[in-house]
Amino acid sequence: MLTTRPRGTNDILPGEVEKWQYVEQLAREVCREYGYGELRTPIFEHTELFSRGVGETTDIVEKEMYTFTDRGERSITLRPEGTAAAVRAYLDNKLQALPQPVKLYYMGPMFRYDRPQAGRYRQFHQFGVEVFGSHSPSIDAEVIAMAMDIYRRIGLRDLELHINSVGCPKCRPGLRQRLQEHFKPHLAKLCPNCQGRFERNPLRILDCKNESCQELGRHAPTTLDVLCEECETHFNQVKGYLDTVGVPYIVNNRLVRGLDYYTHTAFEIMAQDIGAQSSIGGGGRYNGLMEACGGPATPGIGFALGLERILLTAERQGITFPVSRGPAVFVATVGSELEKQAFALLQSLRQQGIAAEKDYLARSLKAQMKYAGKLGARWVVILGEEELARGVAMVRDMQAGEQQEVGLAELVNYIRNTTNNNQCRGL
Ligand code: AMP
């Protein structure tokens, strides 16, 4: 127990973490270009925020939340997604007072008590954006295009973008009625979950993963059959903007998304290469959410991308990321008397921006050289009594296998001139 991590969680180790940093950095850069500011919310919130904000009838709220009572007898939940907290933060911090729309992004761990498998974890990481305060279909298109831009810059290929309109409170009641008429004769054949959804939210039956429910839903009416004029216009405009910027999409009238507060646009991005858990991101408009959370009616739209699944897709597609190469310089010593000088040189190199390392286990010179090789050091600076007295050190080029004396005063320049900047930083 003590040495095993909880089921559905991962350790991300050096060597692997550089890929995460690369993708995170890339996402931040895209956000800067598109005008999104970073929002950091707490990892836990009041449970009610999610039951209201995500929706009582969703899988997340019904069975996947990590909920506990804290010592003050409050019900607390580890965040299962980012949108509800962004809405809470918008209201809490009175961001309505800012010029609208407000464009935010977040990244970090989310928690769902799901059945773990490849690409599905109990602690996973999302990068997401939210835009509050605009009804414009151009924002829907921007958010979708931005997600696709991120995948493209990472180098992911063969992705499918599915889009749909899930209607609005005006046209949804009509759909609800038609869905109930469709499913009523088959009620007994629906899974127990969907039997519950039949009354509460029949639209979600279309979203069920159970095979017999999917089969029964195959000929059910869809949102696109009942869209009101306003929703239809909005959807056509979103498609028009996507066409303008050359983002290909598939209209998928089965796409409903699991969350109750979605209105108008819904979208999901699938990767072919990662098996059953093929959704690498999704999002949509949620014009009803702000009010459901007790705020003034404010339109919103956003997406969340799963970082584990992006990295899994990249791996399956053979995409390589920049990897850490170890220190530029390893400072070795002949004999233990020079430890202090080695330590001083090490600090001075680091303070001048050069990634440097030394031995901490009192190794022999030979063992130090071997260790430097294992770390992947580009240079080994060997400090010896006699050389130090002359103000020089032996510098070994680990790539060429050659060495030469270099004056200590010139050492930093020597390393800089013969190594590129990234190598100096150990990148
Ligand atoms: P959702 O918040 O359910 O719309 O999910 C958005 C994205 O997060 C999905 O497309 C996945 O890429 C990712 N995701 C959702 N749940 C998990 C999970 N349990 N493990 C890993 N990634 C997930």
Side-chain angles (χ1 to χ4, degrees), residues 60 64 80-83 106 110-112 114-115 117 119-126 151 257-259 262 268-269 274 277-283 303-310:
I60 293 181
E64 294 173 2
E81 55 94 59
T83 304
Y106 60 83
M110 304 294 162
F111 306 85
R112 294 184 196 171
D114 216 336
R115 203 158 35 85
Q117 51 182 277
R120 198 205 272 170
Y121 309 100
R122 290 183 174 167
Q123 175 172 332
F124 60 98
H125 297 77
Q126 285 184 339
Y151 297 130
R257 309 269 307 146
L259 313 180
Y262 282 93
E268 189 138 17
I269 302 101
I274 54 170
Q277 303 302 312
S278 63
S279 165
I280 58 168
F303 67 64
L305 315 184
L307 294 182
E308 281 83 357
R309 291 192 197 167
I310 288 179

mmCIF file of all heavy atoms in Angstrom, residues 60 64 80-83 106 110-112 114-115 117 119-126 151 257-259 262 268-269 274 277-283 303-310, ligand 1:
data_model
loop_
_atom_site.group_PDB
_atom_site.id
_atom_site.type_symbol
_atom_site.label_atom_id
_atom_site.label_comp_id
_atom_site.label_asym_id
_atom_site.label_seq_id
_atom_site.Cartn_x
_atom_site.Cartn_y
_atom_site.Cartn_z
ATOM 1 N N ILE A 60 -20.893 12.417 -14.113
ATOM 2 C CA ILE A 60 -19.909 13.003 -13.188
ATOM 3 C C ILE A 60 -20.527 13.176 -11.808
ATOM 4 O O ILE A 60 -19.980 12.714 -10.804
ATOM 5 C CB ILE A 60 -19.411 14.378 -13.717
ATOM 6 C CG1 ILE A 60 -18.596 14.188 -14.995
ATOM 7 C CG2 ILE A 60 -18.600 15.115 -12.646
ATOM 8 C CD1 ILE A 60 -18.035 15.474 -15.579
ATOM 9 N N GLU A 64 -19.253 9.947 -10.138
ATOM 10 C CA GLU A 64 -17.798 10.033 -10.302
ATOM 11 C C GLU A 64 -17.090 11.031 -9.397
ATOM 12 O O GLU A 64 -15.878 11.182 -9.493
ATOM 13 C CB GLU A 64 -17.478 10.380 -11.770
ATOM 14 C CG GLU A 64 -17.884 9.276 -12.730
ATOM 15 C CD GLU A 64 -17.732 9.668 -14.193
ATOM 16 O OE1 GLU A 64 -17.270 10.787 -14.484
ATOM 17 O OE2 GLU A 64 -18.079 8.839 -15.044
ATOM 18 N N PRO A 80 -14.030 17.998 -10.650
ATOM 19 C CA PRO A 80 -14.038 16.988 -11.710
ATOM 20 C C PRO A 80 -13.879 17.604 -13.092
ATOM 21 O O PRO A 80 -13.688 16.892 -14.069
ATOM 22 C CB PRO A 80 -15.431 16.354 -11.583
ATOM 23 C CG PRO A 80 -16.282 17.444 -11.007
ATOM 24 C CD PRO A 80 -15.395 18.349 -10.206
ATOM 25 N N GLU A 81 -13.967 18.933 -13.189
ATOM 26 C CA GLU A 81 -13.847 19.636 -14.462
ATOM 27 C C GLU A 81 -13.624 21.112 -14.135
ATOM 28 O O GLU A 81 -13.667 21.497 -12.962
ATOM 29 C CB GLU A 81 -15.095 19.408 -15.320
ATOM 30 C CG GLU A 81 -16.407 19.776 -14.663
ATOM 31 C CD GLU A 81 -16.850 21.182 -14.985
ATOM 32 O OE1 GLU A 81 -17.021 21.468 -16.177
ATOM 33 O OE2 GLU A 81 -17.031 22.003 -14.055
ATOM 34 N N GLY A 82 -13.396 21.925 -15.164
ATOM 35 C CA GLY A 82 -12.976 23.293 -14.883
ATOM 36 C C GLY A 82 -14.015 24.376 -15.074
ATOM 37 O O GLY A 82 -13.858 25.488 -14.559
ATOM 38 N N THR A 83 -15.097 24.066 -15.802
ATOM 39 C CA THR A 83 -16.007 25.137 -16.189
ATOM 40 C C THR A 83 -16.775 25.728 -15.000
ATOM 41 O O THR A 83 -16.871 26.951 -14.857
ATOM 42 C CB THR A 83 -17.006 24.622 -17.252
ATOM 43 O OG1 THR A 83 -16.234 24.108 -18.336
ATOM 44 C CG2 THR A 83 -17.909 25.725 -17.751
ATOM 45 N N TYR A 106 -7.219 27.670 -18.210
ATOM 46 C CA TYR A 106 -6.739 27.000 -17.000
ATOM 47 C C TYR A 106 -6.057 25.706 -17.398
ATOM 48 O O TYR A 106 -6.312 25.173 -18.483
ATOM 49 C CB TYR A 106 -7.896 26.702 -16.025
ATOM 50 C CG TYR A 106 -8.955 25.811 -16.629
ATOM 51 C CD1 TYR A 106 -8.812 24.422 -16.640
ATOM 52 C CD2 TYR A 106 -10.071 26.358 -17.244
ATOM 53 C CE1 TYR A 106 -9.777 23.604 -17.229
ATOM 54 C CE2 TYR A 106 -11.035 25.549 -17.827
ATOM 55 C CZ TYR A 106 -10.868 24.175 -17.823
ATOM 56 O OH TYR A 106 -11.805 23.371 -18.423
ATOM 57 N N MET A 110 -7.739 17.146 -12.664
ATOM 58 C CA MET A 110 -9.170 16.985 -12.410
ATOM 59 C C MET A 110 -9.348 15.577 -11.812
ATOM 60 O O MET A 110 -8.498 14.697 -12.039
ATOM 61 C CB MET A 110 -9.975 17.072 -13.710
ATOM 62 C CG MET A 110 -9.750 18.347 -14.483
ATOM 63 S SD MET A 110 -10.369 19.781 -13.606
ATOM 64 C CE MET A 110 -9.516 21.112 -14.438
ATOM 65 N N PHE A 111 -10.459 15.360 -11.119
ATOM 66 C CA PHE A 111 -10.631 14.097 -10.394
ATOM 67 C C PHE A 111 -11.995 13.487 -10.678
ATOM 68 O O PHE A 111 -13.011 14.144 -10.476
ATOM 69 C CB PHE A 111 -10.485 14.362 -8.888
ATOM 70 C CG PHE A 111 -9.196 15.069 -8.548
ATOM 71 C CD1 PHE A 111 -9.110 16.456 -8.614
ATOM 72 C CD2 PHE A 111 -8.059 14.345 -8.217
ATOM 73 C CE1 PHE A 111 -7.916 17.115 -8.343
ATOM 74 C CE2 PHE A 111 -6.860 14.993 -7.942
ATOM 75 C CZ PHE A 111 -6.789 16.382 -8.000
ATOM 76 N N ARG A 112 -11.983 12.265 -11.188
ATOM 77 C CA ARG A 112 -13.264 11.564 -11.407
ATOM 78 C C ARG A 112 -13.090 10.096 -11.029
ATOM 79 O O ARG A 112 -12.121 9.460 -11.456
ATOM 80 C CB ARG A 112 -13.687 11.644 -12.888
ATOM 81 C CG ARG A 112 -14.017 13.047 -13.326
ATOM 82 C CD ARG A 112 -14.523 13.092 -14.747
ATOM 83 N NE ARG A 112 -14.467 14.463 -15.242
ATOM 84 C CZ ARG A 112 -14.676 14.829 -16.497
ATOM 85 N NH1 ARG A 112 -14.979 13.918 -17.404
ATOM 86 N NH2 ARG A 112 -14.590 16.088 -16.853
ATOM 87 N N ASP A 114 -13.707 7.200 -12.039
ATOM 88 C CA ASP A 114 -14.082 6.502 -13.265
ATOM 89 C C ASP A 114 -13.388 5.141 -13.245
ATOM 90 O O ASP A 114 -12.511 4.914 -12.413
ATOM 91 C CB ASP A 114 -13.557 7.337 -14.444
ATOM 92 C CG ASP A 114 -14.491 7.313 -15.628
ATOM 93 O OD1 ASP A 114 -15.266 6.353 -15.732
ATOM 94 O OD2 ASP A 114 -14.428 8.253 -16.442
ATOM 95 N N ARG A 115 -13.759 4.224 -14.154
ATOM 96 C CA ARG A 115 -13.089 2.935 -14.209
ATOM 97 C C ARG A 115 -11.785 3.091 -14.994
ATOM 98 O O ARG A 115 -11.813 3.369 -16.184
ATOM 99 C CB ARG A 115 -13.989 1.896 -14.874
ATOM 100 C CG ARG A 115 -13.666 0.456 -14.499
ATOM 101 C CD ARG A 115 -14.868 -0.454 -14.739
ATOM 102 N NE ARG A 115 -15.650 -0.036 -15.908
ATOM 103 C CZ ARG A 115 -15.359 -0.400 -17.162
ATOM 104 N NH1 ARG A 115 -14.352 -1.181 -17.415
ATOM 105 N NH2 ARG A 115 -16.107 0.018 -18.173
ATOM 106 N N GLN A 117 -8.536 2.818 -17.234
ATOM 107 C CA GLN A 117 -8.036 2.025 -18.364
ATOM 108 C C GLN A 117 -7.117 2.944 -19.163
ATOM 109 O O GLN A 117 -6.946 4.098 -18.769
ATOM 110 C CB GLN A 117 -9.193 1.531 -19.233
ATOM 111 C CG GLN A 117 -10.160 2.621 -19.645
ATOM 112 C CD GLN A 117 -11.320 2.106 -20.466
ATOM 113 O OE1 GLN A 117 -11.183 1.949 -21.650
ATOM 114 N NE2 GLN A 117 -12.446 1.854 -19.822
ATOM 115 N N GLY A 119 -5.799 5.705 -21.067
ATOM 116 C CA GLY A 119 -6.400 6.980 -21.453
ATOM 117 C C GLY A 119 -7.519 7.443 -20.533
ATOM 118 O O GLY A 119 -8.112 8.499 -20.745
ATOM 119 N N ARG A 120 -7.826 6.650 -19.515
ATOM 120 C CA ARG A 120 -8.855 7.086 -18.565
ATOM 121 C C ARG A 120 -8.343 6.895 -17.147
ATOM 122 O O ARG A 120 -8.015 5.788 -16.737
ATOM 123 C CB ARG A 120 -10.140 6.296 -18.770
ATOM 124 C CG ARG A 120 -11.336 6.993 -18.140
ATOM 125 C CD ARG A 120 -12.403 6.030 -17.801
ATOM 126 N NE ARG A 120 -13.316 5.792 -18.904
ATOM 127 C CZ ARG A 120 -14.231 4.823 -18.871
ATOM 128 N NH1 ARG A 120 -14.311 4.031 -17.825
ATOM 129 N NH2 ARG A 120 -15.031 4.641 -19.890
ATOM 130 N N TYR A 121 -8.268 7.980 -16.413
ATOM 131 C CA TYR A 121 -7.668 7.940 -15.086
ATOM 132 C C TYR A 121 -8.578 8.614 -14.070
ATOM 133 O O TYR A 121 -9.531 9.276 -14.432
ATOM 134 C CB TYR A 121 -6.290 8.653 -15.123
ATOM 135 C CG TYR A 121 -5.432 8.114 -16.238
ATOM 136 C CD1 TYR A 121 -5.312 8.811 -17.437
ATOM 137 C CD2 TYR A 121 -4.825 6.868 -16.126
ATOM 138 C CE1 TYR A 121 -4.569 8.290 -18.484
ATOM 139 C CE2 TYR A 121 -4.081 6.333 -17.157
ATOM 140 C CZ TYR A 121 -3.963 7.052 -18.343
ATOM 141 O OH TYR A 121 -3.254 6.525 -19.384
ATOM 142 N N ARG A 122 -8.232 8.433 -12.801
ATOM 143 C CA ARG A 122 -9.033 9.080 -11.747
ATOM 144 C C ARG A 122 -8.496 10.467 -11.436
ATOM 145 O O ARG A 122 -9.235 11.343 -11.046
ATOM 146 C CB ARG A 122 -9.049 8.184 -10.514
ATOM 147 C CG ARG A 122 -9.889 6.954 -10.802
ATOM 148 C CD ARG A 122 -10.033 6.031 -9.633
ATOM 149 N NE ARG A 122 -10.962 4.978 -9.997
ATOM 150 C CZ ARG A 122 -11.140 3.868 -9.313
ATOM 151 N NH1 ARG A 122 -10.450 3.665 -8.200
ATOM 152 N NH2 ARG A 122 -11.996 2.971 -9.720
ATOM 153 N N GLN A 123 -7.193 10.632 -11.566
ATOM 154 C CA GLN A 123 -6.640 11.990 -11.605
ATOM 155 C C GLN A 123 -6.069 12.174 -12.992
ATOM 156 O O GLN A 123 -5.182 11.404 -13.404
ATOM 157 C CB GLN A 123 -5.543 12.214 -10.562
ATOM 158 C CG GLN A 123 -4.922 13.610 -10.728
ATOM 159 C CD GLN A 123 -3.951 14.005 -9.637
ATOM 160 O OE1 GLN A 123 -4.049 13.557 -8.496
ATOM 161 N NE2 GLN A 123 -3.026 14.870 -9.973
ATOM 162 N N PHE A 124 -6.591 13.141 -13.726
ATOM 163 C CA PHE A 124 -6.081 13.407 -15.071
ATOM 164 C C PHE A 124 -5.961 14.915 -15.212
ATOM 165 O O PHE A 124 -6.343 15.659 -14.303
ATOM 166 C CB PHE A 124 -7.025 12.805 -16.129
ATOM 167 C CG PHE A 124 -8.414 13.350 -16.084
ATOM 168 C CD1 PHE A 124 -8.817 14.358 -16.944
ATOM 169 C CD2 PHE A 124 -9.333 12.865 -15.164
ATOM 170 C CE1 PHE A 124 -10.111 14.879 -16.894
ATOM 171 C CE2 PHE A 124 -10.624 13.379 -15.097
ATOM 172 C CZ PHE A 124 -11.010 14.385 -15.957
ATOM 173 N N HIS A 125 -5.405 15.338 -16.344
ATOM 174 C CA HIS A 125 -5.111 16.767 -16.471
ATOM 175 C C HIS A 125 -5.807 17.360 -17.686
ATOM 176 O O HIS A 125 -5.801 16.763 -18.757
ATOM 177 C CB HIS A 125 -3.599 16.980 -16.581
ATOM 178 C CG HIS A 125 -2.875 16.523 -15.352
ATOM 179 N ND1 HIS A 125 -2.643 15.181 -15.098
ATOM 180 C CD2 HIS A 125 -2.397 17.207 -14.295
ATOM 181 C CE1 HIS A 125 -2.034 15.080 -13.928
ATOM 182 N NE2 HIS A 125 -1.871 16.287 -13.424
ATOM 183 N N GLN A 126 -6.372 18.503 -17.479
ATOM 184 C CA GLN A 126 -7.031 19.186 -18.589
ATOM 185 C C GLN A 126 -6.418 20.563 -18.797
ATOM 186 O O GLN A 126 -5.997 21.225 -17.854
ATOM 187 C CB GLN A 126 -8.534 19.373 -18.300
ATOM 188 C CG GLN A 126 -9.350 18.106 -18.453
ATOM 189 C CD GLN A 126 -10.838 18.345 -18.259
ATOM 190 O OE1 GLN A 126 -11.242 19.339 -17.650
ATOM 191 N NE2 GLN A 126 -11.653 17.441 -18.772
ATOM 192 N N TYR A 151 -3.697 21.307 -31.340
ATOM 193 C CA TYR A 151 -3.373 19.950 -31.808
ATOM 194 C C TYR A 151 -2.420 20.005 -33.003
ATOM 195 O O TYR A 151 -1.488 19.222 -33.113
ATOM 196 C CB TYR A 151 -4.636 19.209 -32.242
ATOM 197 C CG TYR A 151 -5.653 18.973 -31.152
ATOM 198 C CD1 TYR A 151 -6.984 19.302 -31.345
ATOM 199 C CD2 TYR A 151 -5.288 18.402 -29.937
ATOM 200 C CE1 TYR A 151 -7.930 19.067 -30.366
ATOM 201 C CE2 TYR A 151 -6.229 18.171 -28.956
ATOM 202 C CZ TYR A 151 -7.546 18.503 -29.172
ATOM 203 O OH TYR A 151 -8.470 18.271 -28.204
ATOM 204 N N ARG A 257 -22.922 15.638 -25.592
ATOM 205 C CA ARG A 257 -22.101 16.038 -24.441
ATOM 206 C C ARG A 257 -22.841 15.725 -23.144
ATOM 207 O O ARG A 257 -24.047 15.822 -23.057
ATOM 208 C CB ARG A 257 -21.731 17.527 -24.471
ATOM 209 C CG ARG A 257 -21.133 17.983 -25.758
ATOM 210 C CD ARG A 257 -19.629 17.879 -25.784
ATOM 211 N NE ARG A 257 -19.015 18.545 -24.672
ATOM 212 C CZ ARG A 257 -17.911 18.116 -24.092
ATOM 213 N NH1 ARG A 257 -17.331 17.021 -24.514
ATOM 214 N NH2 ARG A 257 -17.366 18.760 -23.100
ATOM 215 N N GLY A 258 -22.051 15.353 -22.143
ATOM 216 C CA GLY A 258 -22.680 14.856 -20.933
ATOM 217 C C GLY A 258 -23.296 15.898 -20.019
ATOM 218 O O GLY A 258 -23.973 15.555 -19.068
ATOM 219 N N LEU A 259 -23.080 17.154 -20.255
ATOM 220 C CA LEU A 259 -23.432 18.127 -19.236
ATOM 221 C C LEU A 259 -24.731 18.870 -19.550
ATOM 222 O O LEU A 259 -25.010 19.199 -20.688
ATOM 223 C CB LEU A 259 -22.274 19.116 -19.048
ATOM 224 C CG LEU A 259 -20.900 18.444 -18.918
ATOM 225 C CD1 LEU A 259 -19.801 19.469 -18.724
ATOM 226 C CD2 LEU A 259 -20.877 17.442 -17.772
ATOM 227 N N TYR A 262 -25.268 22.776 -21.428
ATOM 228 C CA TYR A 262 -24.875 23.125 -22.794
ATOM 229 C C TYR A 262 -26.058 23.619 -23.628
ATOM 230 O O TYR A 262 -27.148 23.060 -23.584
ATOM 231 C CB TYR A 262 -24.215 21.933 -23.484
ATOM 232 C CG TYR A 262 -22.785 21.737 -23.063
ATOM 233 C CD1 TYR A 262 -22.433 20.886 -22.027
ATOM 234 C CD2 TYR A 262 -21.773 22.463 -23.695
ATOM 235 C CE1 TYR A 262 -21.118 20.733 -21.630
ATOM 236 C CE2 TYR A 262 -20.455 22.321 -23.309
ATOM 237 C CZ TYR A 262 -20.130 21.453 -22.271
ATOM 238 O OH TYR A 262 -18.837 21.314 -21.889
ATOM 239 N N GLU A 268 -16.612 17.912 -30.252
ATOM 240 C CA GLU A 268 -15.727 16.920 -29.662
ATOM 241 C C GLU A 268 -14.660 16.565 -30.693
ATOM 242 O O GLU A 268 -14.950 16.510 -31.886
ATOM 243 C CB GLU A 268 -16.541 15.686 -29.293
ATOM 244 C CG GLU A 268 -15.787 14.684 -28.482
ATOM 245 C CD GLU A 268 -16.640 14.109 -27.342
ATOM 246 O OE1 GLU A 268 -17.872 14.241 -27.384
ATOM 247 O OE2 GLU A 268 -16.051 13.523 -26.429
ATOM 248 N N ILE A 269 -13.448 16.334 -30.231
ATOM 249 C CA ILE A 269 -12.361 15.999 -31.150
ATOM 250 C C ILE A 269 -11.897 14.580 -30.838
ATOM 251 O O ILE A 269 -11.625 14.256 -29.681
ATOM 252 C CB ILE A 269 -11.180 16.992 -31.033
ATOM 253 C CG1 ILE A 269 -11.675 18.422 -31.321
ATOM 254 C CG2 ILE A 269 -10.075 16.635 -32.021
ATOM 255 C CD1 ILE A 269 -11.912 19.265 -30.136
ATOM 256 N N ILE A 274 -5.902 5.991 -30.391
ATOM 257 C CA ILE A 274 -5.734 5.701 -28.963
ATOM 258 C C ILE A 274 -6.812 4.796 -28.388
ATOM 259 O O ILE A 274 -7.042 4.787 -27.191
ATOM 260 C CB ILE A 274 -5.592 6.992 -28.123
ATOM 261 C CG1 ILE A 274 -6.779 7.957 -28.371
ATOM 262 C CG2 ILE A 274 -4.287 7.688 -28.423
ATOM 263 C CD1 ILE A 274 -6.814 9.120 -27.400
ATOM 264 N N GLN A 277 -10.903 5.137 -25.693
ATOM 265 C CA GLN A 277 -11.027 6.487 -25.131
ATOM 266 C C GLN A 277 -10.523 7.479 -26.164
ATOM 267 O O GLN A 277 -9.469 8.079 -26.010
ATOM 268 C CB GLN A 277 -10.247 6.596 -23.826
ATOM 269 C CG GLN A 277 -10.663 5.579 -22.790
ATOM 270 C CD GLN A 277 -12.140 5.671 -22.453
ATOM 271 O OE1 GLN A 277 -12.661 6.749 -22.198
ATOM 272 N NE2 GLN A 277 -12.824 4.547 -22.468
ATOM 273 N N SER A 278 -11.304 7.653 -27.252
ATOM 274 C CA SER A 278 -10.760 8.385 -28.397
ATOM 275 C C SER A 278 -10.981 9.893 -28.326
ATOM 276 O O SER A 278 -10.430 10.628 -29.117
ATOM 277 C CB SER A 278 -11.386 7.844 -29.682
ATOM 278 O OG SER A 278 -12.777 8.078 -29.640
ATOM 279 N N SER A 279 -11.769 10.347 -27.358
ATOM 280 C CA SER A 279 -12.019 11.790 -27.289
ATOM 281 C C SER A 279 -10.816 12.498 -26.671
ATOM 282 O O SER A 279 -10.450 12.237 -25.536
ATOM 283 C CB SER A 279 -13.265 12.044 -26.447
ATOM 284 O OG SER A 279 -13.317 13.407 -26.085
ATOM 285 N N ILE A 280 -10.204 13.380 -27.454
ATOM 286 C CA ILE A 280 -9.049 14.091 -26.882
ATOM 287 C C ILE A 280 -9.415 15.515 -26.471
ATOM 288 O O ILE A 280 -8.576 16.256 -25.985
ATOM 289 C CB ILE A 280 -7.818 14.091 -27.817
ATOM 290 C CG1 ILE A 280 -8.165 14.724 -29.162
ATOM 291 C CG2 ILE A 280 -7.281 12.683 -28.007
ATOM 292 C CD1 ILE A 280 -6.915 14.998 -29.992
ATOM 293 N N GLY A 281 -10.664 15.873 -26.670
ATOM 294 C CA GLY A 281 -11.096 17.189 -26.215
ATOM 295 C C GLY A 281 -12.523 17.440 -26.621
ATOM 296 O O GLY A 281 -13.048 16.773 -27.508
ATOM 297 N N GLY A 282 -13.132 18.373 -25.935
ATOM 298 C CA GLY A 282 -14.502 18.680 -26.302
ATOM 299 C C GLY A 282 -14.953 19.937 -25.587
ATOM 300 O O GLY A 282 -14.279 20.415 -24.664
ATOM 301 N N GLY A 283 -16.086 20.449 -26.044
ATOM 302 C CA GLY A 283 -16.584 21.639 -25.381
ATOM 303 C C GLY A 283 -17.887 22.075 -25.978
ATOM 304 O O GLY A 283 -18.528 21.326 -26.711
ATOM 305 N N PHE A 303 -13.845 24.938 -23.906
ATOM 306 C CA PHE A 303 -13.469 23.546 -24.193
ATOM 307 C C PHE A 303 -12.519 23.047 -23.135
ATOM 308 O O PHE A 303 -11.941 23.843 -22.387
ATOM 309 C CB PHE A 303 -12.845 23.379 -25.586
ATOM 310 C CG PHE A 303 -11.494 24.046 -25.785
ATOM 311 C CD1 PHE A 303 -10.366 23.661 -25.071
ATOM 312 C CD2 PHE A 303 -11.339 25.054 -26.736
ATOM 313 C CE1 PHE A 303 -9.125 24.262 -25.271
ATOM 314 C CE2 PHE A 303 -10.101 25.660 -26.950
ATOM 315 C CZ PHE A 303 -8.999 25.257 -26.207
ATOM 316 N N ALA A 304 -12.369 21.744 -23.058
ATOM 317 C CA ALA A 304 -11.326 21.143 -22.222
ATOM 318 C C ALA A 304 -10.648 20.051 -23.034
ATOM 319 O O ALA A 304 -11.320 19.250 -23.691
ATOM 320 C CB ALA A 304 -11.939 20.558 -20.962
ATOM 321 N N LEU A 305 -9.329 20.068 -23.029
ATOM 322 C CA LEU A 305 -8.556 19.041 -23.733
ATOM 323 C C LEU A 305 -7.878 18.162 -22.696
ATOM 324 O O LEU A 305 -7.390 18.656 -21.681
ATOM 325 C CB LEU A 305 -7.475 19.681 -24.618
ATOM 326 C CG LEU A 305 -7.868 20.884 -25.482
ATOM 327 C CD1 LEU A 305 -6.686 21.324 -26.354
ATOM 328 C CD2 LEU A 305 -9.070 20.558 -26.349
ATOM 329 N N GLY A 306 -7.858 16.870 -22.932
ATOM 330 C CA GLY A 306 -7.223 15.952 -21.986
ATOM 331 C C GLY A 306 -5.746 15.792 -22.306
ATOM 332 O O GLY A 306 -5.394 15.314 -23.380
ATOM 333 N N LEU A 307 -4.894 16.213 -21.368
ATOM 334 C CA LEU A 307 -3.456 16.200 -21.667
ATOM 335 C C LEU A 307 -2.895 14.784 -21.793
ATOM 336 O O LEU A 307 -2.070 14.510 -22.656
ATOM 337 C CB LEU A 307 -2.683 16.998 -20.606
ATOM 338 C CG LEU A 307 -2.998 18.498 -20.604
ATOM 339 C CD1 LEU A 307 -2.167 19.224 -19.556
ATOM 340 C CD2 LEU A 307 -2.735 19.120 -21.968
ATOM 341 N N GLU A 308 -3.364 13.857 -20.943
ATOM 342 C CA GLU A 308 -2.880 12.467 -21.052
ATOM 343 C C GLU A 308 -3.174 11.916 -22.445
ATOM 344 O O GLU A 308 -2.326 11.268 -23.054
ATOM 345 C CB GLU A 308 -3.549 11.561 -20.011
ATOM 346 C CG GLU A 308 -2.981 11.664 -18.607
ATOM 347 C CD GLU A 308 -3.560 12.830 -17.822
ATOM 348 O OE1 GLU A 308 -4.367 13.590 -18.387
ATOM 349 O OE2 GLU A 308 -3.190 12.992 -16.648
ATOM 350 N N ARG A 309 -4.391 12.188 -22.927
ATOM 351 C CA ARG A 309 -4.783 11.611 -24.230
ATOM 352 C C ARG A 309 -4.044 12.296 -25.380
ATOM 353 O O ARG A 309 -3.760 11.659 -26.386
ATOM 354 C CB ARG A 309 -6.288 11.709 -24.416
ATOM 355 C CG ARG A 309 -6.980 10.777 -23.445
ATOM 356 C CD ARG A 309 -8.436 10.610 -23.748
ATOM 357 N NE ARG A 309 -9.101 10.057 -22.580
ATOM 358 C CZ ARG A 309 -10.407 10.016 -22.425
ATOM 359 N NH1 ARG A 309 -11.192 10.493 -23.368
ATOM 360 N NH2 ARG A 309 -10.927 9.490 -21.334
ATOM 361 N N ILE A 310 -3.737 13.569 -25.233
ATOM 362 C CA ILE A 310 -2.943 14.257 -26.265
ATOM 363 C C ILE A 310 -1.564 13.606 -26.334
ATOM 364 O O ILE A 310 -1.058 13.292 -27.413
ATOM 365 C CB ILE A 310 -2.807 15.770 -25.935
ATOM 366 C CG1 ILE A 310 -4.143 16.452 -26.165
ATOM 367 C CG2 ILE A 310 -1.703 16.413 -26.762
ATOM 368 C CD1 ILE A 310 -4.149 17.941 -25.860
HETATM 369 P P1 AMP B 1 -15.064 16.345 -20.444
HETATM 370 O O1 AMP B 1 -14.727 17.327 -19.357
HETATM 371 O O2 AMP B 1 -15.677 15.068 -19.944
HETATM 372 O O3 AMP B 1 -15.779 16.966 -21.600
HETATM 373 O O4 AMP B 1 -13.658 15.862 -21.024
HETATM 374 C C1 AMP B 1 -12.822 16.675 -21.798
HETATM 375 C C2 AMP B 1 -11.586 15.885 -22.140
HETATM 376 O O5 AMP B 1 -10.892 15.518 -20.955
HETATM 377 C C3 AMP B 1 -11.859 14.573 -22.839
HETATM 378 O O6 AMP B 1 -11.950 14.763 -24.226
HETATM 379 C C4 AMP B 1 -10.651 13.756 -22.473
HETATM 380 O O7 AMP B 1 -9.595 14.045 -23.359
HETATM 381 C C5 AMP B 1 -10.298 14.250 -21.104
HETATM 382 N N1 AMP B 1 -10.807 13.332 -20.058
HETATM 383 C C6 AMP B 1 -12.056 13.265 -19.526
HETATM 384 N N2 AMP B 1 -12.135 12.330 -18.576
HETATM 385 C C7 AMP B 1 -10.906 11.760 -18.488
HETATM 386 C C8 AMP B 1 -10.336 10.720 -17.680
HETATM 387 N N3 AMP B 1 -11.050 10.087 -16.743
HETATM 388 N N4 AMP B 1 -9.027 10.409 -17.877
HETATM 389 C C9 AMP B 1 -8.288 11.053 -18.804
HETATM 390 N N5 AMP B 1 -8.770 12.040 -19.582
HETATM 391 C C10 AMP B 1 -10.055 12.397 -19.440
#
